[in-house]
Amino acid sequence: DTDPEGATILLNDLELAQKTPTEISVPAGVNRVQLRKDRYQELDTVIKVKKDEKLPLNFSLKPGWADLTITTGIPDTRIYLNGDQRATGSLSLTGVSRGLEPNKYDLRVNLDKHRPYEKALQLKAADVINLDVKLTPITGKLNVRSTPSGADVIVDGEKVGQTPYQKDLIIGDYDLMVDKPGHKEETRSF
């Protein structure tokens, strides 16, 4: 028997008509048994059988693919393998039908206004790779000063502090207002 079932059996380099699970007669002595199934690693072993011996054999075939799961936590994140966009937000290439062939893969994860994540992956059969990718925002520094100090700093309609004010912001377009009662309100877009 094999797990999974349906493996091709080669006995002493001759392919048999039966597939696993099955019962076969083998000559007494040393015999080479090979088991093959698409997307699984070939199993190649030697068994010793005595005359008239019944020898139950059970084999678990190992995956011939690699499982790759990538999570980002951000739905708009774009995930590329070897230059081809494969998913947004998260990617799961696992199991016999979706797992990746053993090979080298170039991974790139992009999100607007964030530094891209890049990694070369060398995947081997039966690898299980789980990556939780955290992208770093590209920021600029906002410095606001006023005379007199203590003016309210309002960014995109939200009061964020008072002057002197300093904060890292993700790059982009913003509306800034500086307001202090009894003084002229200043507005700028940047």
Side-chain angles (χ1 to χ4, degrees):
D1 283 345
T2 60
D3 180 23
E5 297 179 348
T8 299
I9 305 166
L10 285 85
L11 180 62
N12 299 321
D13 298 319
L14 297 174
E15 186 173 325
L16 304 181
Q18 302 99 316
K19 303 240 188 244
T20 62
T22 190
E23 220 175 89
I24 57 174
S25 295
V26 298
V30 176
N31 293 277
R32 181 179 183 201
V33 176
Q34 295 165 277
L35 300 169
R36 295 179 181 160
K37 184 166 177 66
D38 284 345
R39 303 273 295 150
Y40 287 86
Q41 296 178 47
E42 180 177 314
L43 187 137
D44 191 342
T45 191
V46 173
I47 60 170
K48 294 178 185 175
V49 180
K50 296 176 187 169
K51 186 175 188 212
D52 298 324
E53 178 181 24
K54 261 196 166 177
L55 185 62
L57 299 173
N58 294 297
F59 297 102
S60 288
L61 300 179
K62 294 181 181 175
W65 68 88
D67 289 337
L68 176 64
T69 302
I70 300 167
T71 55
T72 66
I74 304 172
D76 295 335
T77 304
R78 295 174 308 282
I79 301 170
Y80 298 83
L81 281 178
N82 294 342
D84 296 324
Q85 184 173 344
R86 300 292 294 268
T88 55
S90 64
L91 175 67
S92 181
L93 299 172
T94 61
V96 67
S97 63
R98 298 201 65 218
L100 293 169
E101 292 296 320
N103 208 341
K104 180 181 181 225
Y105 294 89
D106 293 318
L107 171 65
R108 183 177 175 95
V109 181
N110 284 353
L111 179 64
D112 290 341
K113 302 178 184 177
H114 288 73
R115 288 179 173 62
Y117 174 90
E118 296 178 326
K119 184 172 186 166
L121 302 172
Q122 184 65 52
L123 302 182
K124 300 182 296 287
D127 276 352
V128 176
I129 307 296
N130 295 301
L131 295 174
D132 185 21
V133 176
K134 300 295 182 209
L135 297 178
T136 305
I138 300 171
T139 61
K141 195 167 288 295
L142 173 65
N143 288 305
V144 182
R145 286 175 272 170
S146 67
T147 305
S149 63
D152 290 336
V153 178
I154 301 159
V155 177
D156 288 342
E158 182 182 333
K159 182 179 174 184
V160 294
Q162 292 187 319
T163 60
Y165 179 81
Q166 182 176 345
K167 175 145 181 154
D168 289 332
L169 296 177
I170 295 177
I171 61 169
D173 297 326
Y174 294 93
D175 292 319
L176 170 68
M177 182 169 62
V178 179
D179 185 34
K180 184 165 179 115
H183 295 82
K184 182 180 174 199
E185 173 184 291
E186 290 286 331
T187 59
R188 296 205 178 129
S189 293
F190 64 96

